[in-house]
Every structure is written in structure tokens, then in C-alpha cells.
């Protein structure tokens, strides 16, 4: 596995691979790789792609300076994990390489209006503009590819899917189910910042989703239930919503079919999110 640092080397590698008939599988990350990322890489390898993993802690998507400064960094472990999982290249560009004029007030920004302003976007203004902007740049450098994203960041996937559609990026999104610990806790780089007690509280997000999925109560009751379960576990609840999986609009009592339950909250100052499929107006076929 090669480690590349410049946009030129990264672009040339991808062009060369395509010229020789290979397809590129792009796995965008911010480093601090865990088994969830490993599953993305392995899925891409198993699909026959030449896998390019990017590791870049994108300052544009952090509205909170402490969150950015404390984002975990495990470069040596990342390299080992990416190699073991079968990646061909790990790209680690510097901030100067990605955003030479950062911080600046004149930066092209990609914004998915509406979808980027609700839920996580409401509490983290500018976050999804930062995500859409950096992902657009990753796509521009990589060129035509399959891009692998985890369903754990459900709103991020919705924002990126909309951007791909609206901008006609030559990119096919491939979504991979959330990887969980044996007790159901969704894997996240941020989990490393939790104490053992904090981790026990954070499990409340998963338990809230299990409660909502296992209930046949109305949407409103299930939302209240999710909030109650999280609060009882010690989570400072940010939201507990049930939404249309494409538009992310809240669903009401008349909605039937596939919806998505989304939860977010703070534990020990760490913001955590999780989500699960829900079938409304019938049996819960998702089996969450
Ligand atoms: O999900 C992440 O790790 C990041 O938001 C992404 C997609 C790599 C963009 O910085």
C-alpha cells in the first residue's frame, strides 16, 4: 500500500488505474480508523475496486474549535488497518495541500440547502457545507469512482447523495450498514473520547432505537420514547426524530412505509449520533 500526500500524486494514481482498466473505490475518512472503516474498505476490495482511502480531518466541517482540536489521530494504526484491509493507497493531504488559503472568507462552498440545515445542521451550523465542499473536492481529484459511505452518518449520506445527483458527479455511492459492537453500540471515532461510564451512557442511543423499532405506538409516542430512553441513560438529548429517509422531513401519523429514526445527544461533551430503519404502518421488516 502506498501512502500519498499530494493532490497531484493522488490524481495521477487514479488516472493511471483507470487507464489500465481498473475501477476506483474511494473510502473518505477523517482518520482514527476503526472496524466500521475496515468494513468499508473490505466491501470495496471485495467489489473488485482498487481502493483509495483518504484521511483528512477537514477543518471546514467543524464549527467547534475544541471538537477539531480533540479529534482523535492514530496515524500509525490507520496505516496498519488500511493495509490489512486491502487498500491500495492511503492519501493523507495536509490542510495546506487541500485548502491553501485556509482560513479565508473567499472559499468556494458547496451547500445542499435544506437538507444540510436540519437535524445535525441545526446544531452545527455550516457543518454540512464543510462536508459537501470537501467531498466535492475528493470527488474532483479522484475522478469517476465508487464512493463508500457508512449509514451511521445517515444525514451525511443524504446530503452527499443529493449533491451527486444535482451536480451529476460521475460517482456511484455505495452505502454500507453501520458496524456495531456486540452490545449494539455504533462504532465511531468519537467513542474513543468516552470514559467507560460515558460509554455505558452512550449505549442509550442504541437502546432508544431498539425501543422505537420494537414498538407499534404512534410516531409521536415513539419519538418521546426515544428521548426518554436516552435521558434515562444519562444522554443530553439533541434530538430524537423519525423522518422520510430521502428528504429527511419529519413523518407524521399518516406516513406508511420505510422511515428512519435518528437520534443525537451529548455524553461527556462528546456529540454522538445513531439511526435505524423503521417500517411504519406495518410490521418492522428491518429487524433492527
Ligand atoms: O464521515 C467522515 O469521516 C467525514 O465527514 C468525511 C465524509 C470524510 C468528509 O470529511
Amino acid at each position: 500500500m502506498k501512502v500519498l500526500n499530494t493532490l497531484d500524486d493522488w490524481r495521477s494514481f487514479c488516472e493511471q488505474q483507470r487507464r489500465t482498466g481498473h475501477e476506483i473505490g474511494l473510502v473518505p475518512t477523517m482518520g482514527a480508523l476503526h472496524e466500521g472503516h475496515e468494513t468499508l474498505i473490505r466491501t470495496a476490495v471485495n467489489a473488485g475496486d482498487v481502493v483509495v482511502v483518504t484521511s483528512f480531518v477537514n477543518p471546514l466541517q467543524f464549527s467547534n474549535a475544541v471538537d477539531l482540536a480533540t479529534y482523535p489521530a492514530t496515524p500509525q494504526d490507520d496505516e496498519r488497518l488500511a493495509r490489512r484491509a486491502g487498500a491500495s493507497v492511503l492519501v493523507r493531504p495536509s490542510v495546506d495541500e487541500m485548502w491553501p488559503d485556509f482560513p479565508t472568507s473567499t472559499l468556494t462552498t458547496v451547500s445542499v440547502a435544506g437538507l444540510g440545515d436540519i437535524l445535525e445542521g441545526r446544531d452545527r451550523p455550516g457543518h454540512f457545507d464543510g462536508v459537501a465542499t470537501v467531498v466535492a473536492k475528493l470527488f474532483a481529484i479522484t475522478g469517476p469512482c465508487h464512493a463508500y459511505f457508512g449509514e451511521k452518518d445517515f444525514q451525511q449520506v443524504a446530503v452527499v447523495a443529493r449533491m451527486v445527483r444535482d451536480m451529476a458527479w460521475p460517482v456511484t455511492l455505495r452505502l454500507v450498514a453501520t458496524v456495531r459492537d456486540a452490545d449494539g453500540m455504533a462504532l465511531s471515532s468519537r467513542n474513543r473520547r468516552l470514559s467507560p461510564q460515558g460509554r455505558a451512557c452512550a449505549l442509550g442511543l442504541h437502546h432508544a432505537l431498539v425501543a422505537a423499532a420494537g414498538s407499534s405506538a404512534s410516531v409521536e409516542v415513539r419519538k418521546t420514547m426515544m428521548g426518554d430512553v436516552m435521558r434515562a441513560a444519562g444522554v443530553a438529548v439533541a434530538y430524537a426524530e423519525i423522518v422520510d429517509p430521502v428528504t429527511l422531513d419529519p413523518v407524521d401519523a399518516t406516513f406508511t412505509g420505510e422511515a428512519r429514526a435518528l437520534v443525537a445527544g451529548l455524553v461527556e461533551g462528546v456529540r454522538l449520533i445513531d439511526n435505524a430503519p423503521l417500517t411504519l404502518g406495518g410490521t418492522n421488516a428491518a429487524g433492527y
Side-chain angles (χ1 to χ4, degrees):
M1 185 187 76
K2 292 185 200 183
V3 179
L4 305 178
N5 303 109
T6 69
L7 308 195
D8 283 346
D9 287 349
W10 165 10
R11 194 194 309 270
S12 305
F13 175 84
C14 295
E15 282 170 356
Q16 166 68 16
Q17 291 301 318
R18 276 190 298 272
R19 264 199 303 277
T20 51
H22 295 105
E23 295 191 303
I24 305 287
L26 174 68
V27 181
T29 81
M30 296 204 296
L33 303 185
H34 52 65
E35 281 172 52
H37 298 112
E38 187 168 352
T39 302
L40 296 178
I41 299 169
R42 288 192 190 280
T43 305
V45 170
N46 292 339
D49 291 346
V50 168
V51 180
V52 174
V53 179
T54 61
S55 170
F56 177 62
V57 182
N58 170 37
L60 304 184
Q61 67 190 76
F62 289 81
S63 43
N64 178 328
V66 177
D67 201 20
L68 174 60
T70 56
Y71 200 81
T74 54
Q76 278 151 14
D77 290 348
D78 290 357
E79 212 170 311
R80 272 193 289 273
L81 183 147
R83 181 173 286 115
R84 180 176 77 223
S88 297
V89 165
L90 174 62
V91 189
R92 282 207 281 232
S94 63
V95 173
D96 276 354
E97 183 73 16
M98 282 295 280
W99 309 121
D101 301 323
F102 179 81
T104 174
S105 52
T106 48
L107 175 77
T108 302
T109 299
V110 180
S111 184
V112 181
L115 267 185
D117 304 324
I118 55 176
L119 299 159
E120 282 301 289
R122 195 180 48 212
D123 292 347
R124 303 173 69 191
H127 169 68
F128 286 112
D129 288 359
V131 170
T133 303
V134 79
V135 171
K137 187 150 183 172
L138 304 182
F139 287 172
I141 300 159
T142 305
C145 64
H146 308 130
Y148 293 79
F149 285 88
E151 282 190 340
K152 153 114 187 335
D153 295 304
F154 197 78
Q155 188 174 4
Q156 169 168 282
V157 168
V159 166
V160 172
R162 186 69 207 206
M163 177 186 80
V164 166
R165 187 179 124 191
D166 289 349
M167 297 286 103
W169 282 106
V171 171
T172 308
L173 295 188
R174 294 193 168 158
L175 308 187
V176 177
T178 303
V179 178
R180 296 178 182 279
D181 279 332
D183 59 6
M185 175 100 160
L187 298 195
S188 162
S189 304
R190 289 167 188 268
N191 293 354
R192 295 169 206 235
R193 288 167 52 195
L194 298 171
S195 70
Q197 296 81 351
R199 192 196 173 285
C201 296
L203 204 48
L205 275 80
H206 169 65
H207 289 154
L209 295 169
V210 170
S215 163
S216 52
S218 69
V219 165
E220 282 313 312
V221 170
R222 288 199 229 197
K223 287 196 316 200
T224 307
M225 188 187 292
M226 290 196 290
D228 289 346
V229 171
M230 285 193 283
R231 268 184 291 276
V235 179
V237 176
Y239 56 80
E241 271 297 349
I242 300 179
V243 301
D244 177 292
V246 177
T247 64
L248 305 190
D249 288 335
V251 300
D252 63 19
T254 62
F255 184 95
T256 56
E258 286 303 307
R260 203 87 188 179
L262 304 177
V263 291
L266 286 164
V267 176
E268 297 178 333
V270 180
R271 190 174 177 97
L272 300 166
I273 55 174
D274 201 353
N275 69 84
L278 282 187
T279 306
L280 298 177
T283 52
N284 181 17
Y288 176 74

